Amino acid sequence: MTGRAQWAVSLTLASLVLGFMMALQYRQTQTGRLDAISVHAYGTEEKRLQNELAALKEANARAEQQLARLTAQLAAYEKEMAGSNSQLARLQQRLQQERILAGLTPVEGPGVSVVLMDGIAVNSDTEQVLTHDWDVRSVINELFTAGAEAVSINGYRVVATSGIFCTGPVVRINGHRIGAPFTIEAIGDPHTLKSALEIQGGILDALRARGVNVSAPTMEDDIKMPAFTGNATAGAVGAD
Amino acid sequence: MIWLPVLGLILGAAIGLVANVSIPVAYSSYLSIAILAALDTVFGGIRATLEKSFDSTVFLSGFIVNTLLAALLAFLGEQLGVDLYLAAVVAFGVRLFQNLAVIRRIAFRRWKERSGKPMG
């Protein structure tokens, strides 16, 4: 009965190895499942951080509102203080104008708005159709050159120390990260600003030729802009 | 005698569970293919035993070579970007079921013969 013993031994040996491998694999999948559970736990941690971020953002918004209120109050007090003194009143007016130019006060007035949007790459030349920091900068420079008194990008006021630069897929303005589309608003003489943008071979034409999706500049009767919020001395380096 | 392979399977599983051996996740897919090949060979061995055509040399060499080849095939497929392990899964899966079908038929026949004998 050696033949019988032979098959039993061979099969037992093979079964032993098979059992061993199956056990290994079983343990592997089991630990995999454990990993998935810990990933889930990590998800709650992420949620907690998200909540924290939302709370911080809300607090930040409240603080900004308070700042705006205090600034308005300060302006009112200053006006009151000037009273009937004409020289002081003139100085006061100068100060107010300087503040507008410096972007320290919320302003409103007629102007233009234009939207820059990433184009759709037709022949995989994505780099060409994206809106880059220098594109936004060029449009803003054009607006300031044309006599814009106040400019904002997606509601963020642009001031002398504002930095506009690319960080990965977004553009950083005053330390705020914003993504396309970029709505650029400028307060000033609407006709002048509009024609400055629309000049033949001008900045918008150049952008359109490259494939960037540029809206036609529209004249607005009343644009409201918030005050510059951020560190006035370090706006360009983006105080986070 | 017939319980020996089952005992071996249980013993192997116990060793695998108790021993603190873990393979890297990257090789997990090779192991699964190897398991499939081994499973196929074991069932082939059982079938051969029932058909009384069992050859331990063929069986053991088949067990080792099939297992290694299956893992190698999976590895090669990964290097080439072709899901070759699918071929192994299908091939071994089909053979596995064929072997199982043959085993079932043989078992039925024997059972019939055994129960049919007393009646005549």
Side-chain angles (χ1 to χ4, degrees):
Chain A
M1 280 292 147
T2 44
R4 232 178 189 218
Q6 225 180 19
W7 76 253
V9 168
S10 309
L11 263 185
T12 309
L13 215 68
S15 303
L16 198 84
V17 176
L18 179 62
F20 180 70
M21 289 199 298
M22 278 167 107
L24 270 191
Q25 185 73 357
Y26 175 74
R27 275 209 346 202
Q28 198 77 34
T29 41
Q30 230 39 29
T31 45
R33 217 166 285 160
L34 281 182
D35 280 351
I37 288 164
S38 58
V39 162
H40 193 72
Y42 184 74
T44 58
E45 169 76 5
E46 209 165 275
K47 206 165 206 173
R48 194 182 63 78
L49 285 173
Q50 260 173 9
N51 286 343
E52 216 166 280
L53 180 67
L56 276 175
K57 267 185 180 162
E58 203 177 315
N60 204 358
R62 265 205 308 278
E64 270 175 19
Q65 266 172 15
Q66 200 181 356
L67 180 66
R69 212 169 42 241
L70 286 175
T71 314
Q73 225 168 0
L74 190 65
Y77 283 146
E78 277 169 357
K79 204 171 266 175
E80 215 173 287
M81 200 176 74
S84 54
N85 192 329
S86 64
Q87 203 173 356
L88 210 54
R90 225 173 23 249
L91 272 176
Q92 195 64 51
Q93 210 170 0
R94 276 275 301 279
L95 183 63
Q96 194 60 29
Q97 277 167 0
E98 297 294 341
R99 274 193 179 141
I100 288 170
L101 290 181
L104 294 175
T105 50
V107 287
E108 61 173 298
V112 295
S113 85
V114 65
V115 181
L116 302 187
M117 181 73 185
D118 291 344
I120 294 148
V122 265
N123 36 20
S124 73
D125 203 358
T126 324
E127 186 73 10
Q128 286 282 311
V129 300
L130 291 181
T131 317
H132 293 285
D133 49 354
W134 56 82
D135 300 330
V136 177
R137 222 149 40 209
S138 302
V139 173
I140 282 163
N141 284 344
E142 191 65 52
L143 286 168
F144 275 128
T145 311
E149 291 160 42
V151 172
S152 77
I153 305 167
N154 287 11
Y156 291 112
R157 189 77 171 271
V158 178
V159 296
T161 52
S162 283
I164 302 164
F165 49 97
C166 276
T167 49
V170 295
V171 169
R172 252 168 97 132
I173 290 157
N174 297 347
H176 298 283
R177 292 182 187 83
I178 60 174
F182 301 101
T183 308
I184 300 172
E185 290 176 319
I187 294 178
D189 178 27
H191 292 280
T192 317
L193 294 178
K194 189 165 185 267
S195 56
L197 286 176
E198 280 184 328
I199 195 163
Q200 291 258 316
I203 176 66
L204 292 192
D205 270 358
L207 288 177
R208 281 193 192 109
R210 229 182 57 206
V212 178
N213 199 347
V214 184
S215 77
T218 50
M219 286 193 265
E220 308 275 347
D221 288 337
D222 191 33
I223 297 174
K224 284 193 176 73
M225 266 182 221
F228 168 70
T229 51
N231 195 339
T233 53
V237 290
D240 258 334
Chain B
M1 203 76 123
I2 198 134
W3 294 110
L4 233 81
V6 179
L7 220 69
L9 189 72
I10 293 168
L11 191 70
I15 292 171
L17 283 177
V18 171
N20 200 15
V21 187
S22 69
I23 49 154
V25 184
Y27 299 113
S28 184
S29 56
Y30 306 140
L31 186 63
S32 53
I33 290 295
I35 284 173
L36 198 61
L39 209 63
D40 167 60
T41 318
V42 166
F43 276 111
I46 293 169
R47 175 192 166 180
T49 313
L50 290 174
E51 286 178 338
K52 305 222 190 303
S53 61
F54 187 85
D55 184 340
S56 72
T57 320
V58 170
F59 174 73
L60 282 180
S61 69
F63 181 76
I64 295 163
V65 172
N66 272 0
T67 307
L68 289 179
L69 268 183
L72 193 73
L73 202 70
F75 173 75
L76 193 72
E78 193 146 313
Q79 299 308 307
L80 295 178
V82 183
D83 292 338
L84 268 182
Y85 71 91
L86 283 177
V89 168
V90 171
F92 287 126
V94 166
R95 267 183 45 181
L96 200 75
F97 278 106
Q98 262 172 6
N99 283 339
L100 280 173
V102 170
I103 289 168
R104 195 190 63 228
R105 250 170 247 164
I106 292 172
F108 263 127
R109 206 173 52 228
R110 286 197 183 171
W111 180 70
K112 247 186 206 167
E113 278 169 9
R114 213 173 281 172
S115 59
K117 256 175 196 166
M119 283 204 272

mmCIF file of all heavy atoms in Angstrom, chain B residues 45-92:
data_model
loop_
_atom_site.group_PDB
_atom_site.id
_atom_site.type_symbol
_atom_site.label_atom_id
_atom_site.label_comp_id
_atom_site.label_asym_id
_atom_site.label_seq_id
_atom_site.Cartn_x
_atom_site.Cartn_y
_atom_site.Cartn_z
ATOM 1 N N GLY B 45 -5.476 17.005 -7.454
ATOM 2 C CA GLY B 45 -4.919 15.821 -6.790
ATOM 3 C C GLY B 45 -6.018 14.934 -6.243
ATOM 4 O O GLY B 45 -5.974 13.699 -6.393
ATOM 5 N N ILE B 46 -7.038 15.540 -5.640
ATOM 6 C CA ILE B 46 -8.154 14.759 -5.091
ATOM 7 C C ILE B 46 -8.864 14.008 -6.213
ATOM 8 O O ILE B 46 -9.190 12.825 -6.098
ATOM 9 C CB ILE B 46 -9.128 15.700 -4.337
ATOM 10 C CG1 ILE B 46 -8.452 16.262 -3.097
ATOM 11 C CG2 ILE B 46 -10.393 14.947 -3.952
ATOM 12 C CD1 ILE B 46 -9.218 17.378 -2.430
ATOM 13 N N ARG B 47 -9.057 14.733 -7.328
ATOM 14 C CA ARG B 47 -9.720 14.121 -8.477
ATOM 15 C C ARG B 47 -8.909 12.930 -8.990
ATOM 16 O O ARG B 47 -9.456 11.849 -9.259
ATOM 17 C CB ARG B 47 -9.860 15.173 -9.572
ATOM 18 C CG ARG B 47 -10.412 14.633 -10.857
ATOM 19 C CD ARG B 47 -10.232 15.653 -11.954
ATOM 20 N NE ARG B 47 -10.439 15.061 -13.259
ATOM 21 C CZ ARG B 47 -10.335 15.734 -14.389
ATOM 22 N NH1 ARG B 47 -10.017 17.023 -14.357
ATOM 23 N NH2 ARG B 47 -10.527 15.156 -15.528
ATOM 24 N N ALA B 48 -7.575 13.160 -9.091
ATOM 25 C CA ALA B 48 -6.706 12.090 -9.586
ATOM 26 C C ALA B 48 -6.760 10.894 -8.648
ATOM 27 O O ALA B 48 -6.770 9.736 -9.088
ATOM 28 C CB ALA B 48 -5.283 12.602 -9.719
ATOM 29 N N THR B 49 -6.827 11.178 -7.349
ATOM 30 C CA THR B 49 -6.896 10.094 -6.378
ATOM 31 C C THR B 49 -8.170 9.281 -6.596
ATOM 32 O O THR B 49 -8.154 8.045 -6.588
ATOM 33 C CB THR B 49 -6.891 10.660 -4.949
ATOM 34 O OG1 THR B 49 -5.862 11.626 -4.859
ATOM 35 C CG2 THR B 49 -6.663 9.577 -3.932
ATOM 36 N N LEU B 50 -9.277 9.985 -6.786
ATOM 37 C CA LEU B 50 -10.552 9.296 -6.975
ATOM 38 C C LEU B 50 -10.566 8.515 -8.280
ATOM 39 O O LEU B 50 -11.184 7.458 -8.382
ATOM 40 C CB LEU B 50 -11.695 10.318 -6.965
ATOM 41 C CG LEU B 50 -11.962 10.952 -5.594
ATOM 42 C CD1 LEU B 50 -12.996 12.051 -5.717
ATOM 43 C CD2 LEU B 50 -12.400 9.908 -4.585
ATOM 44 N N GLU B 51 -9.860 9.062 -9.299
ATOM 45 C CA GLU B 51 -9.791 8.361 -10.582
ATOM 46 C C GLU B 51 -8.706 7.301 -10.573
ATOM 47 O O GLU B 51 -8.463 6.641 -11.586
ATOM 48 C CB GLU B 51 -9.520 9.369 -11.715
ATOM 49 C CG GLU B 51 -10.730 10.219 -12.047
ATOM 50 C CD GLU B 51 -10.436 11.236 -13.127
ATOM 51 O OE1 GLU B 51 -9.244 11.579 -13.318
ATOM 52 O OE2 GLU B 51 -11.397 11.688 -13.769
ATOM 53 N N LYS B 52 -8.017 7.212 -9.463
ATOM 54 C CA LYS B 52 -6.937 6.225 -9.273
ATOM 55 C C LYS B 52 -5.816 6.418 -10.291
ATOM 56 O O LYS B 52 -5.260 5.467 -10.819
ATOM 57 C CB LYS B 52 -7.491 4.801 -9.369
ATOM 58 C CG LYS B 52 -8.645 4.536 -8.421
ATOM 59 C CD LYS B 52 -8.517 3.197 -7.778
ATOM 60 C CE LYS B 52 -9.781 2.806 -7.004
ATOM 61 N NZ LYS B 52 -10.133 3.783 -5.972
ATOM 62 N N SER B 53 -5.552 7.667 -10.611
ATOM 63 C CA SER B 53 -4.440 7.933 -11.527
ATOM 64 C C SER B 53 -3.454 8.893 -10.876
ATOM 65 O O SER B 53 -2.799 9.676 -11.535
ATOM 66 C CB SER B 53 -4.973 8.530 -12.835
ATOM 67 O OG SER B 53 -5.628 9.748 -12.564
ATOM 68 N N PHE B 54 -3.414 8.869 -9.542
ATOM 69 C CA PHE B 54 -2.581 9.820 -8.816
ATOM 70 C C PHE B 54 -1.112 9.471 -8.938
ATOM 71 O O PHE B 54 -0.717 8.322 -8.765
ATOM 72 C CB PHE B 54 -2.993 9.827 -7.336
ATOM 73 C CG PHE B 54 -2.314 10.895 -6.555
ATOM 74 C CD1 PHE B 54 -2.826 12.176 -6.523
ATOM 75 C CD2 PHE B 54 -1.153 10.621 -5.842
ATOM 76 C CE1 PHE B 54 -2.201 13.157 -5.798
ATOM 77 C CE2 PHE B 54 -0.526 11.613 -5.125
ATOM 78 C CZ PHE B 54 -1.049 12.878 -5.097
ATOM 79 N N ASP B 55 -0.347 10.499 -9.290
ATOM 80 C CA ASP B 55 1.114 10.332 -9.349
ATOM 81 C C ASP B 55 1.716 11.430 -8.492
ATOM 82 O O ASP B 55 1.550 12.622 -8.793
ATOM 83 C CB ASP B 55 1.585 10.443 -10.794
ATOM 84 C CG ASP B 55 3.078 10.190 -10.931
ATOM 85 O OD1 ASP B 55 3.780 10.316 -9.894
ATOM 86 O OD2 ASP B 55 3.533 9.895 -12.039
ATOM 87 N N SER B 56 2.375 11.051 -7.445
ATOM 88 C CA SER B 56 2.826 12.067 -6.478
ATOM 89 C C SER B 56 3.869 13.005 -7.095
ATOM 90 O O SER B 56 3.946 14.171 -6.733
ATOM 91 C CB SER B 56 3.366 11.404 -5.218
ATOM 92 O OG SER B 56 4.601 10.791 -5.486
ATOM 93 N N THR B 57 4.674 12.485 -8.036
ATOM 94 C CA THR B 57 5.669 13.356 -8.674
ATOM 95 C C THR B 57 4.967 14.449 -9.472
ATOM 96 O O THR B 57 5.286 15.635 -9.351
ATOM 97 C CB THR B 57 6.572 12.548 -9.626
ATOM 98 O OG1 THR B 57 6.869 11.301 -9.027
ATOM 99 C CG2 THR B 57 7.839 13.295 -9.932
ATOM 100 N N VAL B 58 3.989 14.026 -10.264
ATOM 101 C CA VAL B 58 3.229 14.991 -11.062
ATOM 102 C C VAL B 58 2.524 15.978 -10.140
ATOM 103 O O VAL B 58 2.541 17.192 -10.358
ATOM 104 C CB VAL B 58 2.199 14.255 -11.953
ATOM 105 C CG1 VAL B 58 1.240 15.249 -12.595
ATOM 106 C CG2 VAL B 58 2.908 13.430 -13.013
ATOM 107 N N PHE B 59 1.942 15.419 -9.075
ATOM 108 C CA PHE B 59 1.167 16.273 -8.180
ATOM 109 C C PHE B 59 2.052 17.308 -7.484
ATOM 110 O O PHE B 59 1.763 18.509 -7.532
ATOM 111 C CB PHE B 59 0.461 15.408 -7.119
ATOM 112 C CG PHE B 59 -0.227 16.219 -6.075
ATOM 113 C CD1 PHE B 59 -1.394 16.903 -6.378
ATOM 114 C CD2 PHE B 59 0.296 16.325 -4.792
ATOM 115 C CE1 PHE B 59 -2.030 17.662 -5.419
ATOM 116 C CE2 PHE B 59 -0.328 17.082 -3.839
ATOM 117 C CZ PHE B 59 -1.492 17.760 -4.148
ATOM 118 N N LEU B 60 3.140 16.880 -6.871
ATOM 119 C CA LEU B 60 3.984 17.805 -6.105
ATOM 120 C C LEU B 60 4.657 18.823 -7.021
ATOM 121 O O LEU B 60 4.709 20.013 -6.720
ATOM 122 C CB LEU B 60 5.020 17.040 -5.295
ATOM 123 C CG LEU B 60 4.470 16.403 -4.003
ATOM 124 C CD1 LEU B 60 5.565 15.672 -3.265
ATOM 125 C CD2 LEU B 60 3.837 17.452 -3.110
ATOM 126 N N SER B 61 5.160 18.328 -8.181
ATOM 127 C CA SER B 61 5.810 19.267 -9.114
ATOM 128 C C SER B 61 4.770 20.266 -9.634
ATOM 129 O O SER B 61 5.040 21.462 -9.752
ATOM 130 C CB SER B 61 6.468 18.514 -10.250
ATOM 131 O OG SER B 61 5.474 17.931 -11.072
ATOM 132 N N GLY B 62 3.568 19.749 -9.892
ATOM 133 C CA GLY B 62 2.493 20.637 -10.367
ATOM 134 C C GLY B 62 2.133 21.674 -9.331
ATOM 135 O O GLY B 62 1.937 22.858 -9.643
ATOM 136 N N PHE B 63 2.096 21.206 -8.078
ATOM 137 C CA PHE B 63 1.745 22.120 -6.991
ATOM 138 C C PHE B 63 2.743 23.273 -6.901
ATOM 139 O O PHE B 63 2.372 24.449 -6.887
ATOM 140 C CB PHE B 63 1.718 21.336 -5.673
ATOM 141 C CG PHE B 63 1.357 22.167 -4.483
ATOM 142 C CD1 PHE B 63 0.039 22.530 -4.274
ATOM 143 C CD2 PHE B 63 2.319 22.604 -3.596
ATOM 144 C CE1 PHE B 63 -0.308 23.290 -3.184
ATOM 145 C CE2 PHE B 63 1.985 23.368 -2.514
ATOM 146 C CZ PHE B 63 0.661 23.723 -2.299
ATOM 147 N N ILE B 64 4.021 22.921 -6.890
ATOM 148 C CA ILE B 64 5.066 23.947 -6.724
ATOM 149 C C ILE B 64 5.153 24.833 -7.961
ATOM 150 O O ILE B 64 5.131 26.068 -7.873
ATOM 151 C CB ILE B 64 6.427 23.277 -6.423
ATOM 152 C CG1 ILE B 64 6.357 22.570 -5.068
ATOM 153 C CG2 ILE B 64 7.542 24.305 -6.439
ATOM 154 C CD1 ILE B 64 7.456 21.573 -4.843
ATOM 155 N N VAL B 65 5.234 24.184 -9.137
ATOM 156 C CA VAL B 65 5.440 24.946 -10.376
ATOM 157 C C VAL B 65 4.230 25.827 -10.675
ATOM 158 O O VAL B 65 4.374 27.000 -11.028
ATOM 159 C CB VAL B 65 5.762 23.988 -11.551
ATOM 160 C CG1 VAL B 65 5.781 24.750 -12.859
ATOM 161 C CG2 VAL B 65 7.103 23.310 -11.329
ATOM 162 N N ASN B 66 3.026 25.274 -10.519
ATOM 163 C CA ASN B 66 1.824 26.066 -10.785
ATOM 164 C C ASN B 66 1.756 27.301 -9.886
ATOM 165 O O ASN B 66 1.446 28.402 -10.331
ATOM 166 C CB ASN B 66 0.576 25.212 -10.564
ATOM 167 C CG ASN B 66 0.180 24.465 -11.821
ATOM 168 O OD1 ASN B 66 0.840 24.594 -12.857
ATOM 169 N ND2 ASN B 66 -0.860 23.676 -11.732
ATOM 170 N N THR B 67 2.046 27.066 -8.602
ATOM 171 C CA THR B 67 1.984 28.162 -7.642
ATOM 172 C C THR B 67 2.964 29.274 -8.019
ATOM 173 O O THR B 67 2.619 30.452 -8.086
ATOM 174 C CB THR B 67 2.299 27.627 -6.236
ATOM 175 O OG1 THR B 67 1.441 26.535 -5.965
ATOM 176 C CG2 THR B 67 2.112 28.699 -5.194
ATOM 177 N N LEU B 68 4.223 28.835 -8.295
ATOM 178 C CA LEU B 68 5.255 29.825 -8.629
ATOM 179 C C LEU B 68 4.938 30.519 -9.949
ATOM 180 O O LEU B 68 5.093 31.735 -10.081
ATOM 181 C CB LEU B 68 6.626 29.153 -8.692
ATOM 182 C CG LEU B 68 7.196 28.729 -7.339
ATOM 183 C CD1 LEU B 68 8.543 28.057 -7.510
ATOM 184 C CD2 LEU B 68 7.328 29.940 -6.413
ATOM 185 N N LEU B 69 4.499 29.722 -10.934
ATOM 186 C CA LEU B 69 4.211 30.288 -12.252
ATOM 187 C C LEU B 69 3.080 31.303 -12.179
ATOM 188 O O LEU B 69 3.123 32.346 -12.837
ATOM 189 C CB LEU B 69 3.848 29.176 -13.237
ATOM 190 C CG LEU B 69 4.994 28.601 -14.050
ATOM 191 C CD1 LEU B 69 4.478 27.563 -15.027
ATOM 192 C CD2 LEU B 69 5.716 29.710 -14.810
ATOM 193 N N ALA B 70 2.076 30.989 -11.367
ATOM 194 C CA ALA B 70 0.946 31.910 -11.243
ATOM 195 C C ALA B 70 1.414 33.241 -10.669
ATOM 196 O O ALA B 70 1.063 34.323 -11.166
ATOM 197 C CB ALA B 70 -0.128 31.297 -10.348
ATOM 198 N N ALA B 71 2.262 33.153 -9.622
ATOM 199 C CA ALA B 71 2.786 34.380 -9.011
ATOM 200 C C ALA B 71 3.644 35.134 -10.026
ATOM 201 O O ALA B 71 3.570 36.359 -10.148
ATOM 202 C CB ALA B 71 3.593 34.034 -7.767
ATOM 203 N N LEU B 72 4.445 34.370 -10.775
ATOM 204 C CA LEU B 72 5.325 34.977 -11.773
ATOM 205 C C LEU B 72 4.506 35.682 -12.855
ATOM 206 O O LEU B 72 4.826 36.783 -13.295
ATOM 207 C CB LEU B 72 6.197 33.885 -12.393
ATOM 208 C CG LEU B 72 7.388 34.393 -13.223
ATOM 209 C CD1 LEU B 72 8.451 34.935 -12.300
ATOM 210 C CD2 LEU B 72 7.948 33.285 -14.091
ATOM 211 N N LEU B 73 3.426 35.001 -13.256
ATOM 212 C CA LEU B 73 2.555 35.569 -14.288
ATOM 213 C C LEU B 73 1.968 36.896 -13.813
ATOM 214 O O LEU B 73 1.940 37.889 -14.550
ATOM 215 C CB LEU B 73 1.440 34.573 -14.587
ATOM 216 C CG LEU B 73 0.758 34.709 -15.937
ATOM 217 C CD1 LEU B 73 1.693 34.308 -17.037
ATOM 218 C CD2 LEU B 73 -0.500 33.856 -15.961
ATOM 219 N N ALA B 74 1.525 36.904 -12.565
ATOM 220 C CA ALA B 74 0.956 38.135 -11.995
ATOM 221 C C ALA B 74 2.003 39.238 -11.972
ATOM 222 O O ALA B 74 1.738 40.393 -12.318
ATOM 223 C CB ALA B 74 0.439 37.860 -10.594
ATOM 224 N N PHE B 75 3.234 38.847 -11.578
ATOM 225 C CA PHE B 75 4.340 39.805 -11.524
ATOM 226 C C PHE B 75 4.632 40.373 -12.906
ATOM 227 O O PHE B 75 4.742 41.589 -13.101
ATOM 228 C CB PHE B 75 5.569 39.104 -10.954
ATOM 229 C CG PHE B 75 6.823 39.941 -11.001
ATOM 230 C CD1 PHE B 75 6.997 40.997 -10.106
ATOM 231 C CD2 PHE B 75 7.803 39.695 -11.945
ATOM 232 C CE1 PHE B 75 8.135 41.771 -10.158
ATOM 233 C CE2 PHE B 75 8.938 40.472 -11.998
ATOM 234 C CZ PHE B 75 9.103 41.507 -11.106
ATOM 235 N N LEU B 76 4.722 39.468 -13.880
ATOM 236 C CA LEU B 76 5.013 39.872 -15.260
ATOM 237 C C LEU B 76 3.929 40.830 -15.762
ATOM 238 O O LEU B 76 4.219 41.854 -16.384
ATOM 239 C CB LEU B 76 5.070 38.623 -16.143
ATOM 240 C CG LEU B 76 5.665 38.824 -17.540
ATOM 241 C CD1 LEU B 76 7.148 39.033 -17.443
ATOM 242 C CD2 LEU B 76 5.350 37.627 -18.420
ATOM 243 N N GLY B 77 2.690 40.470 -15.483
ATOM 244 C CA GLY B 77 1.570 41.302 -15.916
ATOM 245 C C GLY B 77 1.665 42.697 -15.341
ATOM 246 O O GLY B 77 1.425 43.694 -16.022
ATOM 247 N N GLU B 78 2.085 42.764 -14.056
ATOM 248 C CA GLU B 78 2.193 44.072 -13.420
ATOM 249 C C GLU B 78 3.297 44.896 -14.076
ATOM 250 O O GLU B 78 3.163 46.106 -14.262
ATOM 251 C CB GLU B 78 2.492 43.878 -11.935
ATOM 252 C CG GLU B 78 2.307 45.140 -11.155
ATOM 253 C CD GLU B 78 1.791 44.857 -9.762
ATOM 254 O OE1 GLU B 78 0.843 44.071 -9.631
ATOM 255 O OE2 GLU B 78 2.361 45.388 -8.832
ATOM 256 N N GLN B 79 4.399 44.227 -14.434
ATOM 257 C CA GLN B 79 5.513 44.934 -15.071
ATOM 258 C C GLN B 79 5.114 45.457 -16.448
ATOM 259 O O GLN B 79 5.537 46.530 -16.854
ATOM 260 C CB GLN B 79 6.728 44.012 -15.221
ATOM 261 C CG GLN B 79 7.289 43.487 -13.918
ATOM 262 C CD GLN B 79 7.568 44.578 -12.924
ATOM 263 O OE1 GLN B 79 8.259 45.540 -13.209
ATOM 264 N NE2 GLN B 79 6.979 44.469 -11.736
ATOM 265 N N LEU B 80 4.303 44.673 -17.162
ATOM 266 C CA LEU B 80 3.946 45.035 -18.532
ATOM 267 C C LEU B 80 2.708 45.913 -18.594
ATOM 268 O O LEU B 80 2.374 46.431 -19.649
ATOM 269 C CB LEU B 80 3.714 43.766 -19.361
ATOM 270 C CG LEU B 80 4.936 42.880 -19.555
ATOM 271 C CD1 LEU B 80 4.569 41.645 -20.333
ATOM 272 C CD2 LEU B 80 6.038 43.635 -20.284
ATOM 273 N N GLY B 81 2.018 46.041 -17.461
ATOM 274 C CA GLY B 81 0.791 46.826 -17.473
ATOM 275 C C GLY B 81 -0.377 46.083 -18.079
ATOM 276 O O GLY B 81 -1.365 46.680 -18.479
ATOM 277 N N VAL B 82 -0.239 44.764 -18.192
ATOM 278 C CA VAL B 82 -1.351 43.935 -18.681
ATOM 279 C C VAL B 82 -1.853 43.141 -17.488
ATOM 280 O O VAL B 82 -1.059 42.592 -16.738
ATOM 281 C CB VAL B 82 -0.878 42.962 -19.776
ATOM 282 C CG1 VAL B 82 -2.044 42.173 -20.316
ATOM 283 C CG2 VAL B 82 -0.170 43.712 -20.880
ATOM 284 N N ASP B 83 -3.155 43.079 -17.300
ATOM 285 C CA ASP B 83 -3.683 42.368 -16.144
ATOM 286 C C ASP B 83 -3.649 40.869 -16.380
ATOM 287 O O ASP B 83 -4.681 40.217 -16.535
ATOM 288 C CB ASP B 83 -5.107 42.838 -15.836
ATOM 289 C CG ASP B 83 -5.101 44.279 -15.345
ATOM 290 O OD1 ASP B 83 -4.039 44.708 -14.872
ATOM 291 O OD2 ASP B 83 -6.132 44.940 -15.441
ATOM 292 N N LEU B 84 -2.413 40.334 -16.434
ATOM 293 C CA LEU B 84 -2.250 38.906 -16.727
ATOM 294 C C LEU B 84 -2.805 38.041 -15.611
ATOM 295 O O LEU B 84 -3.178 36.903 -15.829
ATOM 296 C CB LEU B 84 -0.768 38.587 -16.938
ATOM 297 C CG LEU B 84 -0.279 38.673 -18.379
ATOM 298 C CD1 LEU B 84 1.179 38.291 -18.452
ATOM 299 C CD2 LEU B 84 -1.088 37.750 -19.267
ATOM 300 N N TYR B 85 -2.863 38.584 -14.397
ATOM 301 C CA TYR B 85 -3.360 37.771 -13.285
ATOM 302 C C TYR B 85 -4.818 37.374 -13.523
ATOM 303 O O TYR B 85 -5.279 36.352 -13.031
ATOM 304 C CB TYR B 85 -3.188 38.486 -11.959
ATOM 305 C CG TYR B 85 -4.119 39.661 -11.756
ATOM 306 C CD1 TYR B 85 -5.348 39.474 -11.136
ATOM 307 C CD2 TYR B 85 -3.774 40.939 -12.168
ATOM 308 C CE1 TYR B 85 -6.206 40.536 -10.949
ATOM 309 C CE2 TYR B 85 -4.620 41.999 -11.981
ATOM 310 C CZ TYR B 85 -5.827 41.790 -11.372
ATOM 311 O OH TYR B 85 -6.684 42.835 -11.185
ATOM 312 N N LEU B 86 -5.512 38.203 -14.331
ATOM 313 C CA LEU B 86 -6.894 37.858 -14.672
ATOM 314 C C LEU B 86 -6.926 36.546 -15.451
ATOM 315 O O LEU B 86 -7.798 35.704 -15.236
ATOM 316 C CB LEU B 86 -7.531 38.966 -15.517
ATOM 317 C CG LEU B 86 -7.959 40.202 -14.744
ATOM 318 C CD1 LEU B 86 -8.499 41.244 -15.699
ATOM 319 C CD2 LEU B 86 -9.030 39.828 -13.741
ATOM 320 N N ALA B 87 -5.930 36.398 -16.354
ATOM 321 C CA ALA B 87 -5.838 35.156 -17.117
ATOM 322 C C ALA B 87 -5.660 33.981 -16.170
ATOM 323 O O ALA B 87 -6.306 32.939 -16.305
ATOM 324 C CB ALA B 87 -4.673 35.235 -18.094
ATOM 325 N N ALA B 88 -4.787 34.155 -15.184
ATOM 326 C CA ALA B 88 -4.551 33.089 -14.208
ATOM 327 C C ALA B 88 -5.822 32.801 -13.417
ATOM 328 O O ALA B 88 -6.190 31.641 -13.212
ATOM 329 C CB ALA B 88 -3.416 33.502 -13.270
ATOM 330 N N VAL B 89 -6.522 33.875 -13.011
ATOM 331 C CA VAL B 89 -7.745 33.691 -12.229
ATOM 332 C C VAL B 89 -8.770 32.902 -13.035
ATOM 333 O O VAL B 89 -9.369 31.951 -12.551
ATOM 334 C CB VAL B 89 -8.328 35.065 -11.809
ATOM 335 C CG1 VAL B 89 -9.731 34.898 -11.267
ATOM 336 C CG2 VAL B 89 -7.442 35.722 -10.767
ATOM 337 N N VAL B 90 -8.930 33.300 -14.306
ATOM 338 C CA VAL B 90 -9.922 32.617 -15.141
ATOM 339 C C VAL B 90 -9.521 31.165 -15.373
ATOM 340 O O VAL B 90 -10.325 30.240 -15.179
ATOM 341 C CB VAL B 90 -10.085 33.360 -16.492
ATOM 342 C CG1 VAL B 90 -10.932 32.543 -17.439
ATOM 343 C CG2 VAL B 90 -10.692 34.725 -16.261
ATOM 344 N N ALA B 91 -8.259 30.969 -15.769
ATOM 345 C CA ALA B 91 -7.803 29.610 -16.081
ATOM 346 C C ALA B 91 -7.931 28.691 -14.874
ATOM 347 O O ALA B 91 -8.517 27.602 -14.951
ATOM 348 C CB ALA B 91 -6.359 29.657 -16.563
ATOM 349 N N PHE B 92 -7.436 29.147 -13.748
ATOM 350 C CA PHE B 92 -7.487 28.318 -12.543
ATOM 351 C C PHE B 92 -8.920 28.151 -12.059
ATOM 352 O O PHE B 92 -9.301 27.083 -11.589
ATOM 353 C CB PHE B 92 -6.613 28.904 -11.442
ATOM 354 C CG PHE B 92 -5.153 28.723 -11.698
ATOM 355 C CD1 PHE B 92 -4.281 29.795 -11.689
ATOM 356 C CD2 PHE B 92 -4.649 27.461 -11.968
ATOM 357 C CE1 PHE B 92 -2.942 29.623 -11.932
ATOM 358 C CE2 PHE B 92 -3.303 27.272 -12.210
ATOM 359 C CZ PHE B 92 -2.449 28.356 -12.200
#
